[in-house]
Coordinates of all heavy atoms in Angstrom, one line a residue:
D251 N -142.7 30.7 41.6 CA -141.7 31.3 40.5 C -142.3 31.1 39.2 O -142.1 32.0 38.3 CB -140.4 30.4 40.6 CG -139.6 30.8 42.0 OD1 -139.9 31.7 42.6 OD2 -138.8 30.0 42.3
E252 N -143.0 30.0 38.8 CA -143.5 29.9 37.6 C -144.8 30.8 37.3 O -144.8 31.3 36.2 CB -144.0 28.4 37.4 CG -143.0 27.3 37.0 CD -142.3 27.7 35.7 OE1 -143.0 27.7 34.6 OE2 -141.0 27.8 35.7
L253 N -145.4 31.0 38.3 CA -146.5 32.0 38.3 C -145.9 33.3 37.9 O -146.5 34.2 37.0 CB -147.3 32.1 39.7 CG -148.3 33.2 39.8 CD1 -149.4 33.1 38.8 CD2 -148.8 33.2 41.3
L254 N -144.9 33.9 38.6 CA -144.2 35.2 38.3 C -143.7 35.2 36.9 O -143.9 36.2 36.1 CB -143.1 35.3 39.2 CG -143.5 35.5 40.7 CD1 -142.3 35.8 41.5 CD2 -144.5 36.6 40.9
R255 N -143.2 34.1 36.3 CA -142.8 34.1 35.0 C -143.9 34.3 34.0 O -143.9 35.0 33.0 CB -142.1 32.8 34.7 CG -140.6 32.6 35.4 CD -139.9 31.4 34.9 NE -138.7 31.3 35.7 CZ -138.6 30.3 36.7 NH1 -139.6 29.6 37.1 NH2 -137.5 30.3 37.5
G256 N -145.0 33.4 34.3 CA -146.2 33.7 33.3 C -146.8 35.1 33.5 O -147.4 35.5 32.5
L257 N -146.7 35.8 34.5 CA -147.1 37.0 34.7 C -146.3 38.0 34.3 O -146.5 39.2 34.2 CB -147.6 37.4 36.1 CG -148.8 36.5 36.7 CD1 -148.8 36.8 38.2 CD2 -150.0 36.7 36.0
G258 N -145.0 37.6 33.8 CA -143.9 38.7 33.3 C -143.3 39.3 34.5 O -142.8 40.5 34.3
L259 N -143.4 38.8 35.7 CA -142.7 39.4 36.8 C -141.5 38.8 37.3 O -140.9 39.2 38.4 CB -143.8 39.5 38.0 CG -145.1 40.3 37.8 CD1 -146.0 40.1 38.9 CD2 -144.7 41.8 37.6
E260 N -140.9 37.9 36.5 CA -139.8 37.1 37.0 C -138.5 38.0 37.3 O -137.8 37.6 38.2 CB -139.5 36.0 36.0 CG -138.9 36.4 34.8 CD -139.9 36.6 33.7 OE1 -141.1 36.9 34.1 OE2 -139.6 36.5 32.5
S261 N -138.3 39.0 36.6 CA -137.1 39.8 36.8 C -137.4 41.0 37.6 O -136.7 42.1 37.7 CB -136.5 40.3 35.5 OG -137.5 40.9 34.7
T262 N -138.5 41.1 38.2 CA -139.0 42.4 39.0 C -138.6 42.2 40.5 O -138.6 41.1 41.0 CB -140.5 42.5 39.0 OG1 -140.9 42.5 37.5 CG2 -141.0 43.9 39.5
D263 N -138.3 43.3 41.1 CA -137.9 43.4 42.5 C -139.2 43.2 43.4 O -139.9 44.2 43.4 CB -137.0 44.5 42.9 CG -136.6 44.5 44.4 OD1 -136.5 43.5 44.9 OD2 -136.4 45.7 44.8
L264 N -139.4 42.0 43.9 CA -140.7 41.9 44.7 C -140.4 41.5 46.1 O -139.3 41.0 46.4 CB -141.4 40.6 44.0 CG -141.9 40.9 42.5 CD1 -142.5 39.7 41.9 CD2 -142.9 42.0 42.4
P265 N -141.4 41.6 46.9 CA -141.1 41.2 48.3 C -141.2 39.8 48.4 O -141.7 39.0 47.6 CB -142.4 41.8 49.1 CG -143.4 42.0 48.0 CD -142.7 42.3 46.8
A266 N -140.7 39.2 49.5 CA -140.7 37.7 49.7 C -142.2 37.2 49.6 O -143.0 37.8 50.1 CB -140.1 37.4 51.1
Q267 N -142.3 36.0 49.2 CA -143.6 35.5 49.0 C -144.4 35.3 50.3 O -145.6 35.6 50.2 CB -143.5 34.1 48.3 CG -144.9 33.3 48.2 CD -144.7 31.8 47.7 OE1 -143.5 31.4 47.5 NE2 -145.8 31.1 47.6
M268 N -143.8 35.1 51.3 CA -144.5 34.9 52.6 C -144.5 36.1 53.5 O -144.7 36.0 54.7 CB -143.9 33.6 53.3 CG -144.1 32.3 52.6 SD -145.9 31.8 52.5 CE -145.8 30.4 51.5
D269 N -144.1 37.1 53.0 CA -144.2 38.5 53.6 C -145.6 38.9 53.8 O -146.2 39.5 52.9 CB -143.3 39.5 53.1 CG -143.4 40.9 53.8 OD1 -144.1 41.1 54.8 OD2 -142.6 41.7 53.4

Side-chain angles (χ1 to χ4, degrees):
D251 290 343
E252 281 297 305
L253 170 64
L254 296 180
R255 292 187 186 97
L257 295 176
L259 296 173
E260 69 272 22
S261 58
T262 309
D263 185 19
L264 298 174
Q267 180 186 357
M268 293 300 174
D269 183 352

